[in-house]
Amino acid sequence: MRALTITVRDASTGPVVEIAGDLDYETAPRLRQAVEGLALEPGTLLVLDLARLEFCDSSGITAFIVARNRAIAAQTEVALTAVPAHTARVLRIVGLDQIFNLYPDADSAALPSAAVQPPPTANNR
């Protein structure tokens, strides 16, 4: 098990939450608390940077949904960046790749045309 580290930094588009380590049943409440503590302004972008995420279970996925709901309530957009392959697969299987904007990295999240398109599957060709 890798300890969860959550780092929040400001970007010109809004807060960037960098998540590193294991996001699971025991640690997901920390992400939810971190997002709840953010001052989200209408029209900004909340970025969840997953570049250093090592593991994510269903509790972590739920924490992403909670962050999205918080962003919507604040009239803020939300983006997931640098999503690891194992997490991207789960998002795709449950259809959450259709409700989250996915980007290759935090810098490109500010560029609307940089969204990652899911690879074609037998169901969406």
Side-chain angles (χ1 to χ4, degrees), residues 10-125:
D10 290 323
S12 61
T13 55
V16 176
V17 180
E18 297 171 351
I19 304 162
D22 292 350
L23 185 59
D24 58 21
Y25 177 78
E26 291 183 11
T27 60
R30 291 182 44 210
L31 176 57
R32 290 193 303 270
Q33 290 171 349
V35 171
E36 281 298 319
L38 295 174
L40 300 176
E41 299 292 328
T44 61
L45 176 67
L46 168 61
V47 173
L48 301 180
D49 183 351
L50 310 181
R52 296 181 16 207
L53 183 68
E54 297 288 329
F55 174 80
C56 182
D57 71 4
S58 61
S59 299
I61 300 295
T62 300
F64 299 154
I65 294 168
V66 169
R68 179 181 180 272
N69 292 343
R70 167 88 165 83
I72 289 170
Q75 300 176 350
T76 301
E77 297 291 323
V78 65
L80 302 180
T81 65
V83 181
H86 55 82
T87 303
R89 181 175 181 268
V90 172
L91 292 174
R92 190 173 51 254
I93 288 169
V94 298
L96 292 175
D97 61 333
Q98 301 300 309
I99 67 162
F100 282 105
N101 293 316
L102 307 177
Y103 297 90
D105 56 55
D107 292 334
S108 62
L111 307 170
S113 62
V116 176
Q117 299 300 316
T121 64
N123 294 334
N124 68 359
R125 286 184 188 186

